[in-house]
Every structure is written in structure tokens, then in C-alpha cells.
Amino acid sequence: MNDLLERLSDVLESRKEADPGSSYVAGLYSKGLDAILKKIGEEATETVMAAKDGVPEKIVHEVADLWFHTLVLLAQQGLGPGDVLAELDRRFGLSGLEEKAGRKS
């Protein structure tokens, strides 16, 4: 599964140099951070709506869209799925309350 995230990350990196007219992701990159963030907001809202509908296929579809667009954001910011997985690994075994209390304000 992690391999899939890395393969997606590689494709997203390659789109940074692509012609904006040749790729959806290249087009998002060319529009800048605000366009990417707007898309993440839209996908998050659609995920919430799908969950409220309770249709498993819709939930999976919208979460996939949300994850994809967050991967675009990570790549745009010079980060990747490995950074997020490392953070999740760091948190593994901590209670949510412990983790939250340990954050810097």
C-alpha cells in the first residue's frame, strides 16, 4: 500500500514540470496554493456529505479524492507521503490525549 502512495508521489512530482494544459495536476500547480487549498476544502466537504449519505461507495470515492488532493498539496510544498507516515508512526501507541498535550502551541 505504501508503494502506491510513493508511485502517486512520483507522478505528482513529475507533473510539476508539465505543461498546465497537459495535466490536471500541472494545471493545479500553475494556479498556486490557493487553488489547491480550495480543492481540498471542496473534497473535504464532499467527503462529509458522502458520510452523511451513508453510501460506502460514495464515501470511498470522496475520501480517495480528498487523499489525492492532499498528496498534491504535499508535493507542492516539497513534502511527500513518507513525511505523513513518519508522523503517524511517531504517534502510534500514544493516546490521542497524550499526543495533543505534547504539541507545541
Side-chain angles (χ1 to χ4, degrees):
M1 205 60 75
N2 292 352
D3 178 57
L4 175 59
L5 292 176
E6 288 304 322
R7 288 185 292 141
L8 275 170
S9 182
D10 290 345
V11 170
L12 295 175
E13 279 298 317
S14 74
R15 296 300 192 264
K16 287 181 176 180
E17 305 302 320
D19 174 8
S22 71
S23 157
Y24 169 75
V25 172
L28 267 180
Y29 286 146
S30 73
K31 293 175 186 171
L33 180 60
D34 286 346
I36 295 168
L37 296 175
K38 180 180 177 188
K39 193 63 186 170
I40 290 172
E42 290 171 9
E43 297 303 343
T45 300
E46 290 172 5
T47 299
V48 169
M49 291 169 27
K52 295 284 279 179
D53 289 344
V55 179
E57 296 81 14
K58 282 184 176 181
I59 296 168
V60 169
H61 178 86
E62 295 304 340
V63 169
D65 285 349
L66 179 58
W67 285 14
F68 178 81
H69 287 90
T70 58
L71 288 170
V72 171
L73 171 66
L74 288 171
Q76 193 265 351
Q77 295 289 308
L79 300 166
D83 297 299
V84 177
L85 292 173
E87 175 61 13
L88 289 172
D89 187 53
R90 182 192 70 78
R91 294 180 186 187
F92 193 79
L94 291 176
S95 80
L97 296 174
E98 280 180 304
E99 193 282 324
K100 200 165 189 171
R103 291 183 195 177
K104 297 176 185 172
S105 359

